[in-house]
Amino acid sequence: MNDTELSRKAFLLREQAAGLIYRGKSGHIGSDFSVMDILVTLFYLHLNVSPAQQTDPSRDRFILSKGHTAEALYCILCDKGFFPKEELETFCQFGSKYTGHPNKNINGVEINSGSLGHGLPVGVGMALAGRMQGQPYRVYVVMGDGELAEGSVWEGAMAASHFKLDNLIVIIDRNRLQISGTTESVMNPGDLRSRFESFGWQVWECPGNRIDALDQTISEAKASVGAPALVIANTIKGYGYSAAENQAKWHHKVPSEEEYQQILEELKERRAMIE
Amino acid sequence: MGNTGSVKQAYAEILAQLGKENEKIVAIDADLQACSLTDKFSDSFPDRHFNVGIAECNMVGIAAGMATCGKIPFVHSFAMFTAGRAYDQIRNSVVYPHLNVKVMGMYAGFTNGEDGPTHQCVEDLSLMRTIPGNVVLCPSDANETKQMVRAVAEYDGPCYIRMPRSATQTHTDIPGYQFEIGKGVELCDGKDVAIIATGIMVERAMQAAQLLKEEGICARVIDMHTIKPIDRQIILKAADETGAIVTTEDHNIIGGLGSAVAEVLAENRCVPFIRHGVKDAFGKSGKFEAVMELHGLTAQGIIACAKAVIAQK
């Protein structure tokens, strides 16, 4: 699939994620819509993963450190054939394995996540294991920007450069919003580029809701030698549904029936506009 | 029986030995190799040893990541900083996904005497025991440590081992002794009272039993090296056969061995029962034995509890 087709797919997957949240009556729609293009770029253009490779030791490893965007991940894994749609429809229902945050009982999920700040250290461990085993895989970690206030993120960042993990790529979904407000007002992450560079990382930055830009930037980041790579993907929280865009209140809001219909309508329109 | 052996030395030896036998084993430290003595391991396997600096949460996360790739990581720091500081990583990134990570809580209880309460963890058994599916262990001597660590390496799943700093008398080098996770060990038989002990308190319990014997009181001593899953059978048997139970631990009496035994007894048997241990207090800075004495964690302290529980029969 080319970038245009994938951009359309990202809108279609947003419709599906919104449906899961609407029917499951729980989820993080603003963050799902923000991170969707990052996940689509990774899963359809970069990650060497598939249902047939789940136990292949050479497969790429993906960690959704911002585990609250589970719906976006689940819709992609389902689309890629990791599990059937009917199963995913149990999302957030009593007894469903498709929990509000990912767990590794779900096909395609490498590690339970959602306790923020955990993903990067786990990724460091996977990258070190890959190096020890002489495996060619890369480890991709997607973090939120609000998550950067967790101290363990910086412990992991320090270790990743100390061990010169150039098989580790982190993408920050930089939507500048968290539950209680802007990242700048809640706990200012400052100049992320210089902070990570001072930690010994190679840093790239790109528009985070454009597949073509993400694809090109991640390709460049993969070429990083001797240092871990960071991509700051500048996104819009709620991207695709204008009423939710840049609105912190949509972080964890379940749409009403009327809102859900509006969401579907707007996503369809935006999808149709892509040429 | 009766020889003194260093528990941490025994740990270092068995880890290095297991490293030879199983290349999946990896050791990770947070700058306290001088205490975990993993240099024995890293000297032979430098590529399988990592010092991640003073960052215990990161250390446990790294171990979780390695475990998803088939490694068997042993992570090391003081109990305070593994069970304490990295609790969330142990709970969410290791035990919840049931990963094969072995967490060592070194220098547990007051064995870290001079460092004072910031470094004396008397809550780790409680913290680790309440995580669903976690296996929680505490060796009483060097021999048991070796057998325990071997069993832990063979067990596929998360474990926490509470390790004392100090040397102890060896009680488990007896014929027929074989370590098994979840199976307590009757070290000496008795009909008047059962003393259920863990870790370094086993040594004191054995001393107490000897002294009680001189007074005509016959005490059974059980080495409860596994706090979880707790050995219900050995507890109920002791309740039936002695009718009086004392637990002893160098840990808060809230949440540790005493609580685990109390839970079994409360649901099954009504017998006189006393928890001997740290009475919900922080430690003090001082020589290990002095801090133990302050909290009554001595053979005499156990004897007083044994007599009190017998009087309740």
Side-chain angles (χ1 to χ4, degrees):
Chain A
M1 260 184 280
N2 61 32
D3 293 347
T4 309
E5 287 165 332
L6 284 177
S7 299
R8 289 197 197 103
K9 182 177 270 292
F11 279 110
L12 189 64
L13 288 162
R14 281 183 175 88
E15 284 179 40
Q16 293 170 6
L20 283 186
I21 292 168
Y22 176 66
R23 292 186 294 277
K25 297 187 173 45
S26 182
H28 292 79
I29 197 165
S31 313
D32 286 330
F33 282 19
S34 159
V35 82
M36 189 61 90
D37 301 294
I38 297 169
L39 299 189
V40 165
T41 307
L42 286 174
F43 274 88
Y44 294 86
L45 295 174
H46 291 277
L47 286 173
N48 169 33
V49 296
S50 70
Q53 287 171 282
Q54 289 184 72
T55 55
D56 178 353
S58 70
R59 73 189 182 281
D60 284 334
R61 304 301 200 278
F62 174 76
I63 300 171
L64 186 64
S65 192
K66 50 176 303 179
H68 53 281
T69 56
E71 304 84 39
L73 175 65
Y74 294 166
C75 288
I76 289 173
L77 291 174
C78 183
D79 184 62
K80 297 213 71 163
F82 280 90
F83 41 80
K85 223 171 196 154
E86 307 79 68
E87 257 190 35
L88 182 53
E89 275 307 314
T90 63
F91 171 72
C92 274
Q93 287 175 17
F94 178 72
S96 171
K97 72 174 169 183
Y98 299 92
T99 41
H101 293 82
N103 71 83
K104 65 193 271 297
N105 290 324
I106 296 168
N107 287 350
V109 174
E110 299 281 356
I111 182 74
N112 304 18
S113 65
S115 183
L116 295 176
H118 281 220
L120 182 51
V122 173
V124 169
M126 290 178 178
L128 284 169
R131 180 188 287 174
M132 271 189 275
Q133 293 160 343
Q135 291 290 353
Y137 65 73
R138 285 194 175 82
V139 182
Y140 295 83
V141 181
V142 170
M143 291 197 295
D145 49 2
E147 182 177 0
L148 299 173
E150 292 283 4
S152 53
V153 168
W154 301 96
E155 291 182 13
M158 203 184 281
S161 67
H162 176 80
F163 293 117
K164 300 183 169 49
L165 297 176
D166 52 14
N167 54 350
L168 175 70
I169 298 177
V170 170
I171 296 134
I172 292 177
D173 179 9
R174 182 77 174 106
N175 60 35
R176 295 175 182 270
L177 282 176
Q178 56 193 103
I179 293 181
S180 61
T182 65
T183 49
E184 275 60 23
S185 67
V186 176
M187 184 48 64
N188 191 354
D191 180 349
L192 277 184
R193 172 183 283 275
S194 63
R195 284 194 181 177
F196 271 88
E197 279 174 348
S198 75
F199 269 63
W201 287 57
Q202 295 211 32
V203 182
W204 284 262
E205 196 165 356
C206 72
N209 292 114
R210 275 184 41 204
I211 305 276
D212 54 348
L214 283 162
D215 180 25
Q216 192 189 325
T217 309
I218 291 167
S219 297
E220 288 170 20
K222 279 159 90 169
S224 177
V225 176
L230 174 74
V231 174
I232 302 167
N234 291 308
T235 54
I236 292 170
K237 194 150 183 161
Y239 186 75
Y241 176 46
S242 44
E245 287 182 356
N246 291 317
Q247 300 294 319
K249 68 179 180 190
W250 274 89
H251 176 82
H252 194 240
K253 184 169 164 25
V254 176
S256 65
E257 191 186 341
E258 194 188 342
E259 286 165 336
Y260 178 52
Q261 292 310 325
Q262 284 172 5
I263 290 169
L264 294 184
E265 216 169 287
E266 187 173 343
L267 289 171
K268 281 191 178 72
E269 278 171 24
R270 308 249 309 233
R271 177 152 55 95
M273 280 160 58
I274 297 170
E275 289 171 359
Chain B
M1 206 155 124
N3 297 327
T4 298
S6 162
V7 171
K8 65 177 195 171
Q9 195 69 39
Y11 173 73
E13 285 166 17
I14 188 66
L15 187 69
Q17 175 59 32
L18 290 167
K20 272 182 212 153
E21 297 172 21
N22 189 344
E23 60 170 26
K24 291 179 181 167
I25 291 175
V26 173
I28 316 181
D29 277 286
D31 203 35
L32 289 175
Q33 305 89 291
C35 306
S36 62
L37 305 183
T38 46
D39 52 343
K40 270 196 167 34
F41 180 93
S42 59
D43 284 351
S44 303
F45 314 105
D47 298 341
R48 284 153 55 193
H49 177 262
F50 299 89
N51 179 7
V52 301
I54 308 167
E56 296 80 8
C57 299
N58 188 40
M59 171 171 70
V60 174
I62 287 173
M66 287 183 179
T68 68
C69 300
K71 298 290 177 195
I72 306 174
F74 282 69
V75 302
H76 308 82
S77 187
F78 291 167
M80 193 64 250
F81 307 126
T82 50
R85 192 196 301 263
Y87 172 83
D88 179 23
Q89 275 75 13
I90 295 172
R91 194 247 186 212
N92 279 318
S93 283
V94 171
V95 188
Y96 171 37
H98 200 75
L99 292 175
N100 201 8
V101 174
K102 320 302 179 184
V103 178
M104 311 304 299
M106 323 294 291
Y107 286 34
F110 299 134
T111 58
N112 212 351
E114 290 82 351
D115 281 350
T118 51
H119 290 56
Q120 295 166 342
C121 195
V122 292
E123 310 89 5
D124 53 327
L125 293 178
S126 175
L127 285 165
M128 294 295 99
R129 191 170 78 88
T130 50
I131 304 177
N134 205 14
V135 167
V136 181
L137 306 164
C138 182
S140 66
D141 65 22
N143 179 59
E144 189 163 82
T145 299
K146 287 194 173 181
Q147 293 204 28
M148 176 184 286
V149 175
R150 178 173 288 282
V152 155
E154 285 165 8
Y155 168 76
D156 183 10
C159 294
Y160 174 76
I161 305 185
R162 174 181 228 242
M163 295 284 280
R165 173 190 197 173
S166 43
T168 66
Q169 287 217 318
T170 302
H171 304 284
T172 63
D173 57 346
I174 48 178
Y177 173 86
Q178 195 180 358
F179 177 85
E180 194 182 332
I181 293 173
K183 290 277 176 221
V185 183
E186 214 177 278
L187 289 177
C188 69
D189 195 12
K191 59 179 185 355
D192 298 326
V193 61
I195 303 166
I196 304 178
T198 196
I200 58 169
M201 294 311 291
V202 170
E203 177 181 58
R204 288 155 183 80
M206 290 296 279
Q207 290 162 1
Q210 188 61 39
L211 293 167
L212 284 166
K213 199 173 178 183
E214 290 166 14
E215 295 185 48
I217 297 170
C218 208
R220 174 179 301 187
V221 176
I222 293 167
D223 167 15
M224 198 65 101
H225 53 62
T226 305
I227 309 300
K228 186 183 181 184
I230 194 79
D231 186 347
R232 298 167 61 86
Q233 212 179 349
I234 205 167
I235 296 169
L236 298 179
K237 184 167 169 276
D240 291 341
E241 293 175 3
T242 72
I245 291 187
V246 174
T247 55
T248 180
E249 60 197 309
D250 58 328
H251 182 278
N252 198 337
I253 54 167
I254 299 172
L257 170 70
S259 293
V261 172
E263 287 156 18
V264 173
L265 289 175
E267 288 179 343
N268 296 280
R269 296 289 189 282
C270 187
V271 294
F273 170 64
I274 292 178
R275 290 168 299 155
H276 176 248
V278 184
K279 295 185 178 63
D280 201 26
F282 290 110
K284 288 255 189 300
S285 185
K287 291 274 176 234
F288 161 63
E289 290 294 352
V291 183
M292 292 289 278
E293 180 97 38
L294 175 77
H295 290 272
L297 300 175
T298 57
Q300 289 305 326
I302 297 170
I303 288 169
C305 289
K307 287 181 177 172
V309 82
I310 289 168
Q312 289 176 30
K313 279 202 199 180

